[in-house]
Amino acid sequence: MTTLSDAARAEIERQCARLVHVYANANDAGDWQAVAGLYAADGVMFRPTAPDEPLTGRDVILASLRARPARTTRHVCANVVIDVASETLATGESAMLLFTGAPQPLVGSYRDRFVLTEEGWRFAERRGSLLFGP
């Protein structure tokens, strides 16, 4: 097993944390193609509002996103912590605050598995959960 340098580990952490933030911004922009493209080809998404319903593969994720009713949102991601397992695998956790225009925002978290692909770091799995909601 290859031991990663501190610099290599920090770079993987940076790239995976960036992926979390790009995901939030693309989601808020309604750029569903970009959101789906942040997953590995066989990536799995579990929505915070449907944590027991896995969506597997970019095409399925994209179709699900496109089927949602249009809405204006702002996701705020914080407390992003990435743990590097190897040169090609990492995990992460982040807190999420979702504003939808409703009186009370949704508060939840994501647990992520990241994988290095030919396209760069992507979500192998993104599992959302709600802690506080309407």
Side-chain angles (χ1 to χ4, degrees), residues 9-59:
R9 184 173 300 282
E11 180 58 18
I12 292 169
E13 290 171 358
R14 185 192 69 76
Q15 289 183 35
C16 291
R18 184 177 191 283
L19 195 63
V20 169
H21 296 292
V22 168
Y23 182 96
N25 289 341
N27 198 329
D28 290 336
D31 188 346
W32 308 133
Q33 188 75 39
V35 172
L38 297 174
Y39 284 86
D42 60 350
V44 181
M45 178 175 83
F46 292 85
R47 282 199 173 117
T49 56
D52 299 322
E53 299 174 18
L55 301 169
T56 303
R58 286 181 183 159
D59 291 341

Side-chain angles (χ1 to χ4, degrees), residues 22-125:
V22 168
Y23 182 96
N25 289 341
N27 198 329
D28 290 336
D31 188 346
W32 308 133
Q33 188 75 39
V35 172
L38 297 174
Y39 284 86
D42 60 350
V44 181
M45 178 175 83
F46 292 85
R47 282 199 173 117
T49 56
D52 299 322
E53 299 174 18
L55 301 169
T56 303
R58 286 181 183 159
D59 291 341
V60 171
I61 292 168
L62 179 59
S64 176
L65 292 167
R66 286 182 172 160
R68 292 194 322 193
R71 65 180 183 169
T72 300
T73 63
R74 175 52 68 191
H75 291 77
V76 178
C77 298
N79 304 345
V80 179
V81 176
I82 307 298
D83 293 310
V84 178
S86 71
E87 294 174 343
T88 60
L89 298 171
T91 59
E93 184 174 359
S94 57
M96 180 267 303
L97 184 60
L98 173 59
F99 295 94
T100 63
Q104 180 180 344
L106 300 176
V107 179
S109 63
Y110 282 102
R111 291 191 181 276
D112 299 313
R113 287 189 305 110
F114 304 94
V115 62
L116 182 61
T117 71
E118 291 180 5
E119 300 165 297
W121 285 93
R122 295 292 184 266
F123 293 106
E125 181 179 291

